[in-house]
Amino acid sequence: MAATSGIGVSPELTRAFSNAIETKNVRFIKVIIQDESLVSVASLPVANSLNEDLVQLQEYLEDKEPCYILARLDDPPSEWLAISYVPDFANVRNKTLYASTRSSLTKSLGSTVFTDSLFATSKADLTSEAYEAHKRHQAAPKPLSTREQEMENIKAAEREAGNSYEGSNARKNHIGQRVGLSWSSNAEDVVKGLGSRNDSRAVILKIEPSTESLELDSFADATVDNLSSCIPSDEPSYVFYAWSNPYSQAGGDVVFIYSCPTGSPVRYRMLYSSAAMSTYLAAKDFFAETGSIFPLATKRIETSDPAELDEAFLKAGLNHDGSAGAIVNNNSARQDDPAKSSFAKPKGPVRRR
């Protein structure tokens, strides 16, 4: 933290600045350090725009003497620009003194009215051209590190995906009132068809960005051991997998899997991520409408590597603990061991005498 000089604002400067705020007819107030105090030595009226009025400021600047300039902005006129003018030819003591007093000046007069600051080392830094260059610099994007740039790219892709599916062009799914993707008739029919099956089958869906719709990519009978070979390994996809298994009370589950390989383009990762929930909920409505032998699992599976989708992975993801034939009931002990207590209260400490 920079050291402060301890120099304060004089009562005269406080009154002059207060009057300038109230009357709104003062463009510049020149402030110097005199007798260990900040005092006003000149005041210039508003004549034209700030850029044009900078011309009249030149004659009040000296080549070797530092000062502060308080400048009223044009839009809005209630805000001010704090200018620190410290010429290169000023002596070292004055450079240090003015640098350490700058924050005291703006804080004492009211930091909230000073919405911009400018540092000048010559008269050329306080021309209309120099001020325009300063404003362009202020408005320019700040330099980003590699990591920050990556995050900005992801946010931009996320905003683009959000605008595609949640903006004025968003389309309502015809099942219920949820906002999401539209479904092609093939995709809808094949997913509904899973409800009538009691074996294992995988249905692969992909998003068609140009039509904002879910399209059927492929479907095939698939055991849990060859499920991963059905799923694209180089691009995102949604999978509805009717899985016949001995761990579910119904004899199987319909599992929703969101697959997004790590090498997928950022834009598509954001697009599929933003639409995953609405896709799952639409399928839930389908099965509620048509009925399903296997229930739609409440747990959803996500993977960045389809190769990891095996029986153990699905069991863990769906909370199907235990071996085959050991049906899990979340409200009691395992049903194949009804006598087993779900919880034994520990004994309390032995009371000392």
Side-chain angles (χ1 to χ4, degrees):
M1 182 180 292
T4 57
S5 64
I7 293 175
V9 172
S10 67
E12 292 77 15
L13 174 57
T14 301
R15 285 194 296 270
F17 187 65
S18 297
N19 290 337
I21 291 177
E22 291 179 5
T23 60
K24 298 183 180 180
N25 59 6
V26 175
R27 174 65 75 189
F28 302 114
I29 298 176
K30 180 179 179 181
V31 179
I32 65 171
I33 298 175
Q34 187 178 79
D35 298 330
E36 302 299 315
S37 183
L38 289 160
V39 299
S40 171
V41 294
S43 177
L44 286 73
V46 174
N48 297 292
S49 68
L50 175 56
N51 281 11
E52 294 171 309
D53 286 347
L54 282 169
V55 175
Q56 61 177 313
L57 181 63
Q58 296 291 312
E59 62 182 284
Y60 291 87
L61 303 175
E62 301 180 36
D63 293 331
K64 297 183 180 181
E65 296 298 326
C67 68
Y68 302 112
I69 303 293
L70 309 181
R72 181 191 298 277
L73 298 178
D74 290 325
D75 186 22
S78 59
E79 297 181 358
W80 290 71
L81 166 70
I83 302 173
S84 296
Y85 174 70
V86 182
D88 289 330
F89 298 107
N91 64 54
V92 174
R93 180 182 179 279
N94 280 344
K95 287 182 178 180
T96 303
L97 185 62
Y98 274 79
S100 60
T101 308
R102 182 178 64 248
S103 61
S104 297
L105 172 64
T106 54
K107 287 181 180 179
S108 298
L109 294 178
S111 300
T112 56
V113 299
F114 293 99
T115 57
D116 194 8
S117 60
L118 192 154
F119 303 90
T121 58
S122 68
K123 293 181 180 180
D125 292 336
L126 294 176
T127 62
S128 59
E129 294 80 7
Y131 181 56
E132 285 300 317
H134 165 77
K135 290 195 293 184
R136 288 194 297 272
H137 174 74
Q138 292 293 91
K142 301 296 186 292
L144 301 176
S145 66
T146 302
R147 176 60 178 164
E148 290 172 332
Q149 186 61 57
E150 290 177 355
M151 294 303 297
E152 284 298 313
N153 291 341
I154 290 175
K155 290 178 181 178
E158 189 172 22
R159 287 193 296 271
E160 183 179 350
N163 289 337
S164 296
Y165 295 101
E166 295 182 1
S168 60
N169 292 326
R171 301 174 67 176
K172 288 188 177 182
N173 193 295
H174 71 284
I175 299 294
Q177 298 299 316
R178 299 187 182 94
V179 176
L181 306 175
S182 63
W183 289 58
S184 70
S185 58
N186 285 342
E188 182 176 333
D189 290 342
V190 174
V191 169
K192 283 182 176 179
L194 290 178
S196 62
R197 302 181 67 92
N198 58 2
D199 54 0
S200 296
R201 167 171 284 199
V203 176
I204 315 298
L205 304 181
K206 290 186 178 179
I207 297 175
E208 174 51 56
S210 62
T211 58
E212 299 182 4
S213 63
L214 277 170
E215 302 291 339
L216 176 65
D217 182 69
S218 64
F219 63 93
D221 293 339
T223 66
V224 70
D225 294 326
N226 62 18
L227 171 63
S228 60
S229 63
C230 303
I231 302 173
S233 60
D234 58 349
E235 56 185 339
S237 61
Y238 299 134
V239 182
F240 286 95
Y241 180 49
W243 178 33
S244 175
N245 67 80
Y247 313 107
S248 170
Q249 291 180 336
D253 304 273
V254 176
V255 187
F256 175 70
I257 303 171
Y258 164 41
S259 173
C260 185
T262 52
S264 305
V266 171
R267 178 177 182 272
Y268 290 106
R269 286 157 58 187
M270 294 299 102
L271 189 153
Y272 275 80
S273 176
S274 65
M277 178 57 76
S278 64
T279 301
Y280 170 82
L281 294 176
K284 183 178 180 181
D285 286 337
F286 290 156
F287 294 133
E289 177 187 281
T290 62
S292 178
I293 296 174
F294 294 162
L296 179 64
T298 57
K299 299 288 186 179
R300 298 179 300 280
I301 303 293
E302 293 189 12
T303 181
S304 59
D305 180 12
E308 69 183 352
L309 294 172
D310 56 16
E311 184 171 1
F313 190 91
L314 294 185
K315 280 178 60 181
L318 300 180
N319 289 340
H320 284 333
D321 299 322
S323 58
I327 306 302
V328 176
N329 185 327
N330 292 331
N331 297 320
S332 64
R334 281 171 39 178
Q335 291 184 3
D336 63 339
D337 188 9
K340 184 176 180 180
S341 174
S342 62
F343 176 75
K345 182 178 179 181
K347 295 180 179 180
V350 178
R351 180 177 299 177
R352 295 182 180 181
R353 295 183 178 179

